[in-house]
Amino acid sequence: MASPALRFYFDFSCPYAYVASTQIEAVAERAGARLDPRPILLGGVFRARATPQNLSETLSPAKARHNLADMHRQAARAGVPLHMPKGHPIRTVEALRALLVVGPPFTPLAHAMFRAYWVEGIDLSTEAGLRRVLSESGHDADAVLAKIDDPAVKQELRARTDEAIEAGVFGVPTCVVEGESGPELFWGVDRLGMVERLLCRRSGRRPPEARPARADSNEGPVDVYFDYSSPFSYIGCHRAEQLLGERARWRPMLLGALFKRVGTPDVPLFTQNEAKRQHTAKDLERQAAEAGAPYRFPTRFPMRTVLALRVTLAARAHESREGRRLVHALFQAYWAEDRDISDPDVVAQICDAEGFDGPALIAEAGTQPIKDALFAATNAAVEAGVFGAPTFVVHTPDGPELYWGADRLDLV
């Protein structure tokens, strides 16, 4: 069986690309793939996708704090150091051109450039910084630096960036797995596991064994914040039931109200550029398949979930494993069966099917105490630093730690 090709798009300015760069060669080797490293100018991709050049400036304070913590968690998981450099993001266009001047194989010098940026704090936007990295990597710094402004080198970097945009790249790190059925694109260091499993299938190799993941009984509780309106919340809650067991404390909340409080668009999916939307749709299918959760994007989206959330609180369904049958049934009704969970008759039917008194719960959901309970639950989520769903707050001896996203459960 032929070795599959693995394209790896990167720029030195992204911490996640740095972490991925320390893992990608091992992934390719284990999977029997041919690695094709592709340096690109991330700023050029952002311009083409109308993405802000400094994404961190567009984030809410809570999300910015989480993202900074997440960078360090990903680095720690990979076993590599990471230090946020002063002045980040730093201009990397000259460093990328220097890489092209030196030529393939790109990985040895790329590793040195990444280390300079994310470990050693060397400013790659300066001639002194580039000269140091080139010299220490065994290259003739004078000769390389003399060529980085050559029109042909500039054009090569533009062409590589344009090729990435044409391939659907909207950020880094991005992996593209080639195959007879066409290329498949994966964005993010946290998708390297999916990449490796696909490569192994394509090359006929046995994929790596999944690491057992289950909450240790000696650890503290984990708050699971959710709303039925989020597909990632559906997948995350499906996995949380399996992985967290009774350590989980389930926290329903109204995501739309939370978004208003933290300054996030009502439907973040609608704000994504087309390339990112296409990837998100595919990523949802992949995550659901790996979680073993039946999934079909509904014809009604977004969905008003106030009634379903109030019914959950009225039934106290989130408070026990037995009761959570209703939580999962409501999730599945929307995200697998395309049912309208804003319709009282539909919600009553789902409740009845799970052994609850549907009409009674619908009636109770309209009472002021239940309305107040959902309002209070959403306020508590905001106070806990939640900015999206699903969010997992792990209570440790050193204080609470917040993790956002179904794909962060392994870190949880």
Side-chain angles (χ1 to χ4, degrees):
M1 187 173 291
S3 298
L6 170 60
R7 285 184 261 153
F8 177 65
Y9 295 94
F10 65 92
D11 185 346
F12 305 123
S13 61
C14 174
Y16 294 108
Y18 156 60
V19 175
S21 74
T22 68
Q23 311 295 304
I24 195 68
E25 289 169 285
V27 167
E29 183 178 356
R30 288 193 298 266
R34 293 174 286 108
L35 180 62
D36 179 8
R38 299 201 178 188
I40 61 172
L41 184 60
L42 185 58
V45 173
F46 282 173
R47 280 191 295 273
R49 305 292 187 202
T51 302
Q53 292 292 317
N54 190 345
L55 282 173
S56 63
E57 293 180 349
T58 69
L59 304 178
S60 68
K63 191 170 184 179
R65 287 192 299 272
H66 172 271
N67 281 15
L68 181 61
D70 188 61
M71 295 172 195
H72 290 283
R73 289 167 181 162
Q74 296 289 352
R77 189 183 198 195
V80 297
L82 184 150
H83 308 294
M84 181 61 67
K86 188 180 297 184
H88 172 75
I90 296 167
R91 177 180 167 93
T92 58
V93 62
E94 289 83 7
L96 290 163
R97 289 179 193 161
L99 187 66
L100 296 178
V101 171
V102 171
F106 291 124
T107 48
L109 181 55
H111 286 314
M113 294 286 193
F114 270 121
R115 283 195 305 272
Y117 194 115
W118 291 106
V119 180
E120 299 163 0
I122 297 172
D123 188 345
L124 295 181
S125 70
T126 67
E127 181 180 331
L130 282 178
R131 185 178 296 279
R132 175 178 167 182
V133 176
L134 289 165
S135 298
E136 290 179 355
S137 300
H139 298 287
D140 184 337
D142 289 333
V144 173
L145 293 175
K147 294 180 180 179
I148 63 172
D149 288 323
D150 187 293
V153 175
K154 293 181 178 180
Q155 177 56 32
E156 183 181 355
L157 182 57
R158 282 194 294 268
R160 286 176 172 274
T161 303
D162 289 343
E163 180 273 324
I165 295 166
E166 183 67 22
V169 173
F170 55 87
V172 295
T174 291
C175 293
V176 175
V177 177
E178 303 284 5
E180 292 181 0
S181 58
E184 291 208 38
L185 185 149
F186 299 79
W187 171 58
V189 64
D190 45 13
R191 295 301 182 267
L192 289 183
M194 287 185 177
V195 170
E196 184 169 354
R197 287 187 286 276
L198 176 60
L199 287 169
C200 286
R201 290 196 296 272
R202 295 266 173 95
S203 65
R205 296 196 177 191
R206 183 175 180 176
E209 295 288 337
R211 293 182 302 168
R214 188 162 183 85
D216 190 305
S217 61
N218 294 322
E219 294 298 327
V222 181
D223 291 325
V224 179
Y225 292 91
F226 69 94
D227 184 347
Y228 300 111
S229 63
S230 163
F232 292 107
S233 202
Y234 163 55
I235 296 167
C237 288
H238 181 90
R239 293 190 66 214
E241 189 70 73
Q242 301 167 336
L243 302 181
L244 301 179
E246 294 309 308
R247 311 310 302 174
R249 301 188 301 198
W250 293 66
R251 308 292 195 192
M253 63 177 184
L254 185 57
L255 191 57
L258 180 138
F259 281 164
K260 290 178 182 176
R261 290 281 301 276
V262 302
T264 298
D266 282 346
V267 188
L269 182 64
F270 291 169
T271 69
Q272 296 178 356
N273 60 60
E274 182 58 28
K276 190 170 184 178
R277 263 200 304 273
Q278 290 180 13
H279 178 270
T280 298
K282 185 65 176 178
D283 188 55
L284 279 165
E285 294 176 2
R286 291 168 178 157
Q287 286 202 50
E290 292 212 336
Y295 167 78
R296 176 169 52 132
F297 198 86
T299 57
R300 290 168 286 260
F301 180 82
M303 174 65 68
R304 181 173 168 80
T305 56
V306 173
L307 175 63
L309 291 164
R310 288 178 181 167
V311 163
T312 300
L313 291 168
R316 305 182 68 153
H318 57 298
E319 296 181 2
S320 69
R321 183 182 290 275
E322 182 178 347
R324 285 195 300 275
R325 294 198 323 268
L326 177 57
V327 172
H328 297 301
L330 287 164
F331 264 126
Q332 187 162 321
Y334 183 39
W335 290 108
E337 300 164 5
D338 196 16
R339 299 172 73 184
D340 184 355
I341 60 171
S342 69
D343 185 326
D345 290 338
V346 172
V347 174
Q349 291 167 11
I350 296 168
C351 292
D352 288 342
E354 296 303 322
F356 293 85
D357 186 336
L361 288 173
I362 295 294
E364 189 176 354
T367 65
Q368 196 59 45
I370 296 300
K371 292 179 180 180
D372 291 344
L374 181 56
F375 183 81
T378 304
N379 280 344
V382 174
E383 291 170 3
V386 175
F387 55 85
T391 291
F392 308 94
V393 178
V394 184
H395 294 271
T396 78
D398 298 322
E401 293 190 18
L402 185 147
Y403 298 78
W404 170 58
D407 51 5
R408 293 304 184 265
L409 261 170
D410 289 342
L411 293 177
V412 170

